[in-house]
């Protein structure tokens, strides 16, 4: 099974996001070969309208984050239970942009993993090293540290989850790890998790040009795509390659 996640970040304003789904869902649906999945992660405010559009659709909906609290006085936060009610079957957490811009910690990520799993939402937990870590050969050490905070929760829940390896230096830069680096890193993540519930994704500058090659990497079960997923023709191409 191959999973393609379109992470629209804050690229698509409300009306454009809705129009994208309304105008293109038919063509995208035809390209999805079960059990493969296409998952769209729009901003929070688009979720309800997109849920209405995708009512009978095999295209799945994903949140870009969730609160690290179940409920309460947390102005501006969005709880996992509401996301479940909005048909989000997936949620991205620990994205490097949220770690860097919003100070999200590994402890927050573990708490979110727990809340999502309790609400039967599949977490897509992002991990990845900085350029400095990569250049100094610390990639696996950093990934291990990030995984360790949540590994017990992930394994004990006995529910499906995704680990998205996204080297920070590859996100939005046009750079992707070498074939050899990808093979080594995914082999290591696969062994480290050794869990049939884990689905491994790659993210960072995925395009229609490199998608096929990346998907050939052993243990890579899908792609988390940012910028390129906002262009219909590109997304269509990648979905058809998967
Ligand atoms: P990118 O982003 O495809 O634009 O590099 C990927 C991501 O941040 O999930």
């Amino acid at each position: 099974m191959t999973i393609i996640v379109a992470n629209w970040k804050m690229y698509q304003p409300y009306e454009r996001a809705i129009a994208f789904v309304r105008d293109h869902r038919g063509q995208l649906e035809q390209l999805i070969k079960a059990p493969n999945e296409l998952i769209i992660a729009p901003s929070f405010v688009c979720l309800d309208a997109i849920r209405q559009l995708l009512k009978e659709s095999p295209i799945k909906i994903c949140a870009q984050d969730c609160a690290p609290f179940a409920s309460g006085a947390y102005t501006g936060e969005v709880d996992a239970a509401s996301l479940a009610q909005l048909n989000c079957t997936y949620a991205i957490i620990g994205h490097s942009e949220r770690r860097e811009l919003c100070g999200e910690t590994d402890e927050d990520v573990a708490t979110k993993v727990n809340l999502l799993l309790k609400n039967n939402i599949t977490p897509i937990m992002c991990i990845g090293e900085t350029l400095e870590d990569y250049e100094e050969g610390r990639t696996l050490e950093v990934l291990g540290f990030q995984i360790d905070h949540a590994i017990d929760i992930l394994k004990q829940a006995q529910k499906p989850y995704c680990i998205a390896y996204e080297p920070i230096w590859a996100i939005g830069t046009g750079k992707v790890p070498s074939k050899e680096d990808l093979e080594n890193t995914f082999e290591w993540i696969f062994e480290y998790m050794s869990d049939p519930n884990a689905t491994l994704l790659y993210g960072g500058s995925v395009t229609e040009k490199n998608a096929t090659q990346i998907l050939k990497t052993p243990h890579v079960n899908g792609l988390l795509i940012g910028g390129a997923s906002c262009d219909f023709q590109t997304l269509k191409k990648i979905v058809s390659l998967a």
Side-chain angles (χ1 to χ4, degrees):
M1 160 164 137
T2 304
I3 293 180
I4 303 293
V5 188
N7 175 14
W8 284 351
K9 309 194 182 194
M10 211 178 72
Y11 286 133
Q12 307 255 51
Y14 181 83
E15 285 178 3
R16 203 197 307 159
I18 307 306
F20 188 112
V21 175
R22 191 189 53 229
D23 298 347
H24 303 311
R25 72 189 150 174
Q27 282 194 61
L28 290 171
E29 283 162 0
Q30 282 176 8
L31 292 171
I32 305 168
K33 299 175 214 107
N36 293 354
E37 288 192 347
L38 171 62
I39 302 164
I40 291 182
S43 68
F44 284 135
V45 293
C46 302
L47 289 174
D48 195 27
I50 290 183
R51 167 178 75 131
Q52 308 286 344
L53 288 170
L54 296 180
K55 252 186 192 145
E56 309 290 325
S57 174
I59 301 173
K60 302 272 184 353
I61 309 172
C62 178
Q64 293 183 11
D65 188 28
C66 84
F69 319 101
S71 73
Y74 303 107
T75 304
E77 292 284 349
V78 179
D79 60 295
S82 296
L83 298 175
Q85 288 164 16
L86 287 168
N87 288 0
C88 290
T89 41
Y90 291 85
I92 297 168
I93 44 164
H95 192 283
S96 64
E97 285 150 16
R98 297 211 62 85
R99 291 177 189 263
E100 276 175 23
L101 299 170
C102 308
E104 185 164 337
T105 63
D106 289 318
E107 287 76 13
D108 295 331
V109 174
T111 307
K112 292 177 183 194
V113 164
N114 194 25
L115 289 165
L116 290 171
L117 290 168
K118 279 193 176 145
N119 284 282
N120 293 316
I121 298 173
T122 303
I124 300 176
M125 186 175 99
C126 301
I127 55 173
E129 81 286 7
T130 62
L131 184 60
E132 191 185 348
D133 290 329
Y134 170 72
E135 285 174 347
E136 291 176 9
R138 287 198 301 264
T139 299
L140 303 183
E141 188 189 325
V142 170
L143 301 187
F145 194 77
Q146 291 172 337
I147 291 172
D148 282 350
H149 283 79
I151 196 165
D152 291 345
I153 301 168
L154 288 168
K155 286 198 167 187
Q156 281 161 15
Q158 306 215 340
K159 290 180 180 172
Y161 61 89
C162 301
I163 303 279
Y165 170 54
E166 299 204 303
I168 297 170
W169 52 270
I171 296 176
T173 58
K175 291 183 200 156
V176 284
S178 65
K179 182 171 174 287
E180 195 191 7
D181 277 345
L182 276 181
E183 285 174 0
N184 290 340
T185 305
F186 275 94
E187 179 66 32
W188 182 87
I189 300 171
F190 180 78
E191 294 290 332
Y192 199 75
M193 297 312 299
S194 57
D195 184 355
N197 282 315
T199 295
L200 308 188
L201 312 179
Y202 169 79
S205 294
V206 174
T207 65
E208 76 272 31
K209 294 199 179 75
N210 58 27
T212 308
Q213 187 60 41
I214 295 169
L215 283 171
K216 279 188 194 151
T217 312
H219 312 303
V220 172
N221 306 117
L223 303 168
L224 178 51
I225 313 168
S229 73
C230 298
D231 178 70
F232 169 61
Q233 294 303 337
T234 307
L235 182 62
K236 193 172 131 185
K237 188 83 196 293
I238 297 173
V239 174
S240 67
L241 294 170

